[in-house]
Amino acid sequence: MSREGSAIEPSRRHFLQAAGLFGSIGLIGGARALGATAKSVRLPFVNGERELTNAFPQKGEMILLRTRPPLLETPFDVFDHGVFTPNNRFFVRWHLAYIPTQIDAEAFRLTVRGHIGKPLSLTLHQLMTEFAPVELAAVNQCSGNSRGLFNPRVAGGQWANGAMGCARWTGVRLKDVLDRAGVSAGAVQVRFNGLDTGLISGTPDFLKSLDIDHARDGEVMIAYGMNGEQLPLLNGFPLRLIVPGWYSTYWVKMLNDIEVLDRVDDNYWMAKAYLVPDTPYASVKPGQSDFKSVPISHMPPRSFITNLRDGDRVLVGHAVHTRGIAFGGDAGVSKVFWSSDGGAHWMDAMLEEDHGKYSFRRWNAHYTPSSRGENTLMVKAINSNGVEQPAVPNWNSGGFMRNVVESIKVTVA
Amino acid sequence: MKCISALTVAITLAPLIFGFSVVQAGPPAPIAIHSVSVELPVSRTEFPPGPGSDLSGKCLICHSASMVLKQPALSRAQWTAEINKMRHTYGAPIDDDEVDKLSLYLAKINADQQTH
């Protein structure tokens, strides 16, 4: 239902993967015709036809949403391959039309300025050798991930569920860099800028800010490494801000300027864009206007089934190994529950290795269909703060923060 | 895929033992950083013909056509609001007397996209 993976590959390949990996005899095939071409996909909403592209530098096959500036979605089957999303399949999202395509690693500088004692201009080499390196596994998810599944639909980038990924980020603590510069008393926020810009003078530069205490919490990072390598250019080479547990809009790419502010940032991208209703699940009724809006911030939990998809066929009485990924948002995954009766009963899924509270976490379950017909499988996560995925989808006019319990329908034969 | 890793410089991270505490027990493995020079692809998607399509080139200053063509069904009023957001927030050079014509065109081609 709510997964775009259904049309991505010919079902036969899916079947072979499933059978090969689990040795399962319960799964007998998918819903799509064999031999379907893999050059386009249909995401599960109206006007969801998408080209699959290999045309982007340092990227493998991606779902093309927009060529310039690039919006590239990760095909959902990638999430079944492991906890960490490969760099060449990691989703891509840019706002502004000018993106440098040549970056000289020696000439690049990261500046730190503003409400500080001593302005800095750091080379990559300095950043990598003069500060303690840290590494953190963290999910990077677009604020508008799954926007195409909103009902009623809303304008914006029409993503299915693939505007997210998880990587091991290597870099330095933002706190350490700010400490080197010496934050002055009265600092309120820290603003981040990257090398991208608009092409016409009226376009506001893409700037994002964090509160000073958040910026200095020791978790926010400046990353030069992604899964053990330098970042692909389209994912922010050479430096990217990592804001664990928060939506990707804050993870400024090609980060080259840090400004400590003595006021709350009122630039367009903080004050007007990426605002969400200050309501539970950022949810309101279409047409509703009596609510306060606030800048989007931390993520709630989500979970997905990755090895079965809508329309798959399974055999009655035979166990099917079911698995997927979960993440807790701004907290670890505490529990993952799954249901095979549309949510009437929930069972504990088995959780695999914990790579840290901000990471994807793999879950497994054994599903043995007991009667023929259509069966609704569901999965939901609860994070270590006790926050649980909602049974009902949220709605807001920006198409932000979807995290409803996911479900798929399989046919039991 | 055009990726000419120019290798202007290779900076190898000297592993630093101290102060490492975030997740792993040991320090992260060294990461080599190389200069990058790439080419981004050019969009092959064009706006469909029709009255008003002459104005669509103004949209292409900042983004390729698929940003428009992949939207869900939006009303003419919503397209007018989008056009005005592009004008007033992003500085799109669209004149007052062009808004009606462009919104009519976008509403038409958008409706034509909602068939499947």
Side-chain angles (χ1 to χ4, degrees):
Chain A
M1 292 290 279
S2 51
R3 295 168 59 239
E4 85 287 25
S6 31
I8 283 169
E9 293 184 321
S11 57
R12 184 178 183 187
R13 187 165 144 207
H14 177 219
F15 167 68
L16 293 173
Q17 278 179 353
L21 290 171
F22 322 138
S24 166
I25 55 167
L27 183 68
I28 59 173
R32 252 63 51 190
L34 299 185
T37 66
K39 287 302 147 200
S40 69
V41 294
R42 183 170 296 178
L43 304 180
F45 41 76
V46 174
N47 202 10
E49 283 270 316
R50 298 283 185 275
E51 183 185 334
L52 287 169
T53 179
N54 281 291
F56 287 81
Q58 303 170 309
K59 306 304 286 186
E61 187 169 82
M62 300 293 286
I63 299 170
L64 178 62
L65 177 48
R66 183 179 70 193
T67 302
R68 190 181 69 98
L71 298 178
L72 307 175
E73 176 164 347
T74 301
F76 204 81
D77 62 289
V78 169
F79 299 112
D80 191 47
H81 298 170
V83 163
F84 295 106
T85 314
N87 292 359
N88 69 349
R89 310 300 298 280
F90 213 97
F91 86 97
V92 168
R93 193 269 186 264
W94 290 85
H95 298 84
L96 304 179
Y98 174 70
I99 302 167
T101 53
Q102 297 188 13
I103 293 179
D104 181 331
E106 206 168 347
F108 179 87
R109 295 291 183 275
L110 171 67
T111 57
V112 185
R113 61 195 176 89
H115 206 60
I116 54 166
K118 181 180 63 176
L120 302 179
S121 176
L122 299 169
T123 65
L124 291 175
H125 185 75
Q126 281 179 290
L127 202 70
M128 296 169 77
T129 56
E130 296 178 11
F131 298 88
V134 291
E135 190 170 86
L136 179 74
V139 172
N140 175 235
Q141 179 183 217
C142 180
S143 307
N145 190 24
S146 321
R147 181 181 287 118
L149 300 162
F150 269 58
N151 184 19
R153 299 283 295 276
V154 296
Q158 301 299 308
W159 306 103
N161 291 330
M164 63 175 187
C166 179
R168 278 196 180 91
W169 307 97
T170 308
V172 302
R173 293 182 188 88
L174 175 61
K175 176 183 189 301
D176 292 347
V177 173
L178 291 174
D179 284 353
R180 168 89 61 103
V183 173
S184 302
V188 173
Q189 289 196 320
V190 183
R191 179 154 77 183
F192 306 92
N193 193 9
L195 291 170
D196 55 326
T197 65
L199 285 178
I200 46 185
S201 59
T203 303
D205 200 6
F206 185 73
L207 305 167
K208 297 297 289 191
S209 295
L210 298 174
D211 287 345
I212 185 72
D213 289 346
H214 187 184
R216 301 179 73 180
D217 71 357
E219 286 193 332
V220 178
M221 290 171 58
I222 301 166
Y224 48 77
M226 178 175 177
N227 292 321
E229 299 179 337
Q230 68 183 39
L231 285 79
L233 180 123
L234 288 175
N235 293 105
F237 179 83
L239 298 176
R240 182 168 198 172
L241 193 72
I242 305 302
V243 189
W246 281 42
Y247 281 102
S248 184
T249 182
Y250 293 96
W251 299 41
V252 172
K253 298 181 289 296
M254 291 189 183
L255 175 69
N256 75 320
D257 184 59
I258 298 173
E259 182 183 7
V260 178
L261 305 175
D262 61 359
R263 63 187 188 281
V264 172
D265 186 8
D266 61 356
N267 105 79
Y268 169 76
W269 297 100
M270 289 301 295
K272 301 272 177 59
Y274 287 103
L275 300 183
V276 294
D278 190 15
T279 59
Y281 308 110
S283 192
V284 293
K285 290 189 167 56
Q288 189 181 336
S289 60
D290 58 335
F291 56 87
K292 183 185 166 201
S293 290
V294 294
I296 197 168
S297 60
H298 60 272
M299 299 187 291
R302 296 192 79 172
S303 58
F304 300 89
I305 298 168
T306 57
N307 74 320
L308 291 176
R309 48 190 72 164
D310 225 37
D312 277 347
R313 292 163 61 80
V314 295
L315 283 177
V316 68
H318 291 273
V320 180
H321 185 154
T322 308
R323 70 181 178 209
I325 51 170
F327 61 100
D330 63 339
V333 174
S334 170
K335 289 272 190 188
V336 173
F337 294 108
W338 68 286
S339 169
S340 60
D341 56 8
H345 300 88
W346 293 92
M347 290 152 285
D348 266 313
M350 291 169 288
L351 298 179
E352 288 187 19
E353 183 181 354
D354 184 0
H355 294 276
K357 65 191 267 198
Y358 299 114
S359 175
F360 279 158
R361 193 156 178 191
R362 203 63 106 80
W363 63 267
N364 292 276
H366 287 285
Y367 160 50
T368 307
S370 56
S371 60
R372 290 185 170 82
E374 199 169 66
N375 219 339
T376 299
L377 300 179
M378 304 176 86
V379 60
K380 71 174 170 186
I382 300 176
N383 74 17
S384 56
N385 290 337
V387 178
E388 180 173 336
Q389 290 182 254
V392 177
N394 72 332
W395 191 92
N396 55 63
S397 62
F400 294 133
M401 294 180 68
R402 182 178 168 93
N403 81 319
V404 66
V405 170
E406 300 290 330
S407 60
I408 61 169
K409 286 195 172 69
V410 298
T411 299
V412 183
Chain B
M1 171 165 152
K2 285 216 165 163
C3 169
I4 313 137
S5 260
L7 201 91
T8 301
V9 64
I11 299 169
T12 303
L13 171 64
L16 301 178
I17 308 298
F18 54 86
F20 181 75
S21 65
V22 172
V23 165
Q24 291 197 331
I31 289 174
I33 304 288
H34 305 290
S35 296
V36 169
S37 175
V38 301
E39 270 180 42
L40 297 178
V42 175
S43 175
R44 288 173 279 127
T45 307
E46 294 179 353
F47 277 105
S53 63
D54 54 313
L55 294 172
S56 63
K58 298 195 174 188
C59 308
L60 299 175
I61 296 170
C62 296
H63 60 78
S64 50
S66 56
M67 191 61 202
V68 172
L69 299 177
K70 295 304 181 189
Q71 292 303 317
L74 301 176
S75 67
R76 179 142 180 226
Q78 287 174 296
W79 281 113
T80 300
E82 290 295 328
I83 293 166
N84 283 326
K85 178 171 145 186
M86 296 304 152
R87 298 170 72 210
H88 302 311
T89 302
Y90 295 97
I94 299 166
D95 297 332
D96 285 344
D97 61 2
E98 293 173 329
V99 174
D100 267 4
K101 189 181 178 188
L102 185 57
S103 65
L104 193 63
Y105 169 72
L106 294 180
K108 165 74 168 65
I109 62 169
N110 170 247
D112 292 345
Q113 293 282 330
Q114 310 301 320
T115 54
H116 50 266

